[in-house]
Amino acid sequence: MEDLRYPIGKFVFDEKSDRAALLESIEETPVRLRQAVAGLSEEQLETAYRPEGWTVRQVVHHLPDSHLNAYTRFKLALTEDEPGIRGYDEDKWSHLHDATTGPIDVSLNLLEALHQRWMLILRSLSATDFERGYRHSEMGLVPLKKALALYAWHGQHHVAHVTALRKRMNW
């Protein structure tokens, strides 16, 4: 049976990942998310992508929350030596008022603007820059090349939550 939590599988870092493909994936995430939610009704936005999972609305709001953190982590890693980064409780964030009731266009627009800005940095980095990293409170040292792969996967992962739900529900 398909694991609805991981429609594209769990994240696995491959040192040999194609950096250009990862950059393209991150760049395309806002467009893919917008396409995934296009035409959904308010009722459909309130549908969980799996039993006891987040609603489509919460997924949409989660992506800019997460990617804002990623953007900041990249900038810190590029300007400090192995800065300490603490995790956050993304599930609690997803239950705050803005994530449970906010219009999705706000987060879709935020994600688009954020990714435009993030890509300015990402496309300027050298191979040496991608070796820099941050120390995550739960994951230890995370080189930017791994973070790049993680956030490329992350966007695909959550877009797939929505597209898989649409397919199952014939929306």
Side-chain angles (χ1 to χ4, degrees):
M1 179 169 166
E2 176 187 12
D3 186 345
L4 300 179
R5 292 173 301 169
Y6 299 99
I8 64 167
K10 291 185 179 182
F11 173 71
V12 177
F13 178 56
D14 178 358
E15 287 272 348
K16 298 174 186 165
S17 295
D18 177 11
R19 186 169 297 132
L22 297 174
L23 290 167
E24 184 177 319
S25 178
I26 288 175
E27 187 170 37
E28 292 176 354
T29 294
V31 171
R32 289 185 177 160
L33 182 62
R34 191 175 286 279
Q35 290 169 342
V37 298
L40 291 180
S41 69
E42 287 295 313
E43 182 180 340
Q44 290 167 326
L45 291 173
E46 296 308 318
T47 304
Y49 73 88
R50 68 176 174 87
E52 299 179 28
W54 292 342
T55 66
V56 173
R57 183 183 310 278
Q58 288 171 299
V59 169
V60 171
H61 292 308
H62 165 70
L63 273 162
D65 285 348
S66 174
H67 292 197
L68 273 166
N69 276 285
Y71 171 77
T72 302
R73 291 169 180 179
F74 269 76
K75 289 188 83 157
L76 288 169
L78 291 167
T79 59
E80 300 175 19
D81 291 328
E82 296 182 7
I85 306 296
R86 65 188 258 333
Y88 66 99
D89 190 331
E90 62 186 30
D91 192 56
K92 285 183 179 177
W93 282 39
S94 76
H95 287 89
L96 293 173
H97 185 74
D98 63 327
T100 59
T101 65
I104 64 168
D105 278 345
V106 172
S107 283
L108 292 170
N109 292 336
L110 175 58
L111 190 67
E112 286 173 356
L114 172 63
H115 277 238
Q116 287 173 1
R117 181 82 183 273
W118 194 11
M119 290 308 299
L120 292 173
I121 293 171
L122 293 176
R123 293 233 184 259
S124 74
L125 300 182
S126 68
T128 303
D129 292 329
F130 280 104
E131 296 300 323
R132 297 183 65 86
Y134 53 83
R135 290 207 170 272
H136 191 282
S137 60
E138 298 160 8
M139 299 167 55
L141 181 61
V142 179
L144 293 182
K145 63 185 179 184
K146 182 176 182 178
L148 180 73
L150 175 63
Y151 286 101
W153 170 87
H154 186 255
Q156 294 171 11
H157 167 72
H158 286 301
V159 168
H161 282 147
V162 178
T163 58
L165 174 65
R166 287 187 81 140
K167 184 176 181 181
R168 285 193 315 276
M169 302 295 283
N170 291 318
W171 291 343

